[in-house]
Amino acid sequence: MLNLDQLAAFLSVVDLGSFTTAADKAGLTQPAVSLQVKLLEQRLGVKLIERVGRRAQPSPAGLDLLAHARRIVEACSLAEEAMTPFREGSVGRVRIGSGGTASIHLLPRAIAMAKKRMPDLEIIVRVGNITEVLRDLEANALDLAVVALPATGRSLEVEPFHQDELLAVAPKGSVMPDGGPDVEFMRGKTLLLYEGGNTRRAADEWFETGGVRPEPAMEFGSVEAIKELVAAGLGWSILPDMALRRDRSDLLVTSPLKPRLIRQLGMVLRRDKHLTKGLREIMKALREFEAPEHAA
């Protein structure tokens, strides 16, 4: 592998025509520059510099190397220049994995907050189920996961940051019992439930604590699809409050459950993850997250 410092010394001697002048420009001694060129000649097995009078000039082999050396040094200079904004913290990239609900109703506001502080921050969001997201996180294909807890993994660190209540959701005109619907009330309804994930697990556990095994009429992998079906009068559901804040209109009726059911959202990342400025800004924005009606 060619040494960049040796190539740079070779170019400087050729351009300036002198080992001494090249050394002065680089802030080195003349023997140090001579050694760099000598080592490069030994590495390539050819003579690169010839002395013509008092001037150092490239040999035929040196002339052939010249164009290659310039391209290599220039490419390295451009690579170093491209890293400058990252080193100074003005740009960066963060890859976030999340479930569908958080990616629609939580992440956009957090991302907007982070982008105000780092306008050039590049953010990539991948939506998937918790198993897929955590697998990609452990493989370092993602920098951060925003998921409903629990989330486990030997190499993972979890930080809870937001509580979100799961609510009973019914079509327009439905009557909710005082104090909210309990398990017995809900078991008598046509249920449209989310398929899989910790949100579904929490709903199942709520039913099972009341001695009932839920038997949904339909299951879907999309909270948004369930909302549309409930609004169309096809059944009741249990959905995250976060996904319903914009839909408390004439189309849906919502209520806390009895007993109430709360899910915890968390940030998950590898324990050995380097916290870049961009990643720190995203995590800070998530910690500061507040739902609109509760915001100060």
mmCIF file of all heavy atoms in Angstrom, residues 19-20 23 28-39:
data_model
loop_
_atom_site.group_PDB
_atom_site.id
_atom_site.type_symbol
_atom_site.label_atom_id
_atom_site.label_comp_id
_atom_site.label_asym_id
_atom_site.label_seq_id
_atom_site.Cartn_x
_atom_site.Cartn_y
_atom_site.Cartn_z
ATOM 1 N N PHE A 19 14.755 19.512 -2.741
ATOM 2 C CA PHE A 19 14.450 18.845 -1.476
ATOM 3 C C PHE A 19 14.402 19.853 -0.334
ATOM 4 O O PHE A 19 13.554 19.780 0.547
ATOM 5 C CB PHE A 19 15.504 17.763 -1.182
ATOM 6 C CG PHE A 19 15.321 16.499 -1.969
ATOM 7 C CD1 PHE A 19 15.875 16.368 -3.237
ATOM 8 C CD2 PHE A 19 14.590 15.443 -1.453
ATOM 9 C CE1 PHE A 19 15.709 15.201 -3.959
ATOM 10 C CE2 PHE A 19 14.419 14.267 -2.178
ATOM 11 C CZ PHE A 19 14.974 14.137 -3.438
ATOM 12 N N THR A 20 15.322 20.798 -0.376
ATOM 13 C CA THR A 20 15.402 21.799 0.692
ATOM 14 C C THR A 20 14.165 22.678 0.725
ATOM 15 O O THR A 20 13.578 22.930 1.782
ATOM 16 C CB THR A 20 16.658 22.666 0.522
ATOM 17 O OG1 THR A 20 17.812 21.826 0.530
ATOM 18 C CG2 THR A 20 16.756 23.701 1.638
ATOM 19 N N ALA A 23 11.221 20.778 1.963
ATOM 20 C CA ALA A 23 11.292 20.591 3.408
ATOM 21 C C ALA A 23 10.862 21.858 4.135
ATOM 22 O O ALA A 23 10.116 21.809 5.120
ATOM 23 C CB ALA A 23 12.710 20.195 3.812
ATOM 24 N N LEU A 28 9.661 20.609 7.687
ATOM 25 C CA LEU A 28 10.472 19.449 8.031
ATOM 26 C C LEU A 28 11.931 19.729 7.722
ATOM 27 O O LEU A 28 12.274 20.739 7.096
ATOM 28 C CB LEU A 28 10.004 18.218 7.239
ATOM 29 C CG LEU A 28 8.547 17.775 7.438
ATOM 30 C CD1 LEU A 28 8.209 16.680 6.431
ATOM 31 C CD2 LEU A 28 8.320 17.293 8.866
ATOM 32 N N THR A 29 12.796 18.828 8.119
ATOM 33 C CA THR A 29 14.201 18.934 7.741
ATOM 34 C C THR A 29 14.392 18.319 6.356
ATOM 35 O O THR A 29 13.599 17.487 5.910
ATOM 36 C CB THR A 29 15.090 18.186 8.750
ATOM 37 O OG1 THR A 29 14.769 16.791 8.716
ATOM 38 C CG2 THR A 29 14.883 18.727 10.164
ATOM 39 N N GLN A 30 15.456 18.735 5.687
ATOM 40 C CA GLN A 30 15.735 18.198 4.356
ATOM 41 C C GLN A 30 15.963 16.684 4.390
ATOM 42 O O GLN A 30 15.460 15.955 3.537
ATOM 43 C CB GLN A 30 16.936 18.942 3.757
ATOM 44 C CG GLN A 30 17.211 18.604 2.288
ATOM 45 C CD GLN A 30 18.148 17.411 2.145
ATOM 46 O OE1 GLN A 30 18.937 17.142 3.051
ATOM 47 N NE2 GLN A 30 18.057 16.714 1.018
ATOM 48 N N PRO A 31 16.702 16.154 5.392
ATOM 49 C CA PRO A 31 16.869 14.700 5.448
ATOM 50 C C PRO A 31 15.541 13.945 5.606
ATOM 51 O O PRO A 31 15.389 12.839 5.089
ATOM 52 C CB PRO A 31 17.771 14.492 6.669
ATOM 53 C CG PRO A 31 18.545 15.763 6.775
ATOM 54 C CD PRO A 31 17.571 16.837 6.372
ATOM 55 N N ALA A 32 14.564 14.546 6.328
ATOM 56 C CA ALA A 32 13.273 13.882 6.517
ATOM 57 C C ALA A 32 12.537 13.739 5.193
ATOM 58 O O ALA A 32 11.946 12.692 4.888
ATOM 59 C CB ALA A 32 12.426 14.668 7.515
ATOM 60 N N VAL A 33 12.569 14.796 4.365
ATOM 61 C CA VAL A 33 11.922 14.738 3.058
ATOM 62 C C VAL A 33 12.663 13.761 2.149
ATOM 63 O O VAL A 33 12.049 12.967 1.420
ATOM 64 C CB VAL A 33 11.850 16.141 2.423
ATOM 65 C CG1 VAL A 33 11.332 16.053 0.980
ATOM 66 C CG2 VAL A 33 10.955 17.052 3.247
ATOM 67 N N SER A 34 13.976 13.787 2.182
ATOM 68 C CA SER A 34 14.763 12.857 1.375
ATOM 69 C C SER A 34 14.437 11.411 1.740
ATOM 70 O O SER A 34 14.339 10.538 0.875
ATOM 71 C CB SER A 34 16.263 13.120 1.577
ATOM 72 O OG SER A 34 16.613 14.408 1.113
ATOM 73 N N LEU A 35 14.263 11.150 3.054
ATOM 74 C CA LEU A 35 13.938 9.803 3.503
ATOM 75 C C LEU A 35 12.569 9.353 2.985
ATOM 76 O O LEU A 35 12.398 8.199 2.577
ATOM 77 C CB LEU A 35 13.971 9.737 5.033
ATOM 78 C CG LEU A 35 13.610 8.379 5.654
ATOM 79 C CD1 LEU A 35 14.582 7.298 5.198
ATOM 80 C CD2 LEU A 35 13.574 8.478 7.176
ATOM 81 N N GLN A 36 11.602 10.285 2.981
ATOM 82 C CA GLN A 36 10.271 9.939 2.481
ATOM 83 C C GLN A 36 10.337 9.513 1.020
ATOM 84 O O GLN A 36 9.739 8.515 0.612
ATOM 85 C CB GLN A 36 9.317 11.149 2.632
ATOM 86 C CG GLN A 36 8.990 11.522 4.062
ATOM 87 C CD GLN A 36 7.892 10.650 4.662
ATOM 88 O OE1 GLN A 36 7.780 9.483 4.350
ATOM 89 N NE2 GLN A 36 7.093 11.253 5.522
ATOM 90 N N VAL A 37 11.060 10.253 0.210
ATOM 91 C CA VAL A 37 11.185 9.922 -1.218
ATOM 92 C C VAL A 37 11.957 8.617 -1.388
ATOM 93 O O VAL A 37 11.593 7.763 -2.210
ATOM 94 C CB VAL A 37 11.861 11.071 -1.979
ATOM 95 C CG1 VAL A 37 12.104 10.666 -3.438
ATOM 96 C CG2 VAL A 37 11.007 12.341 -1.907
ATOM 97 N N LYS A 38 13.015 8.435 -0.590
ATOM 98 C CA LYS A 38 13.803 7.209 -0.679
ATOM 99 C C LYS A 38 12.963 5.986 -0.341
ATOM 100 O O LYS A 38 13.045 4.937 -1.008
ATOM 101 C CB LYS A 38 15.009 7.300 0.251
ATOM 102 C CG LYS A 38 15.929 6.087 0.181
ATOM 103 C CD LYS A 38 17.136 6.262 1.103
ATOM 104 C CE LYS A 38 18.047 5.035 1.026
ATOM 105 N NZ LYS A 38 19.228 5.176 1.923
ATOM 106 N N LEU A 39 12.144 6.095 0.697
ATOM 107 C CA LEU A 39 11.271 4.976 1.088
ATOM 108 C C LEU A 39 10.257 4.659 -0.012
ATOM 109 O O LEU A 39 9.936 3.489 -0.253
ATOM 110 C CB LEU A 39 10.551 5.301 2.404
ATOM 111 C CG LEU A 39 11.429 5.341 3.661
ATOM 112 C CD1 LEU A 39 10.625 5.850 4.848
ATOM 113 C CD2 LEU A 39 12.000 3.955 3.950
#
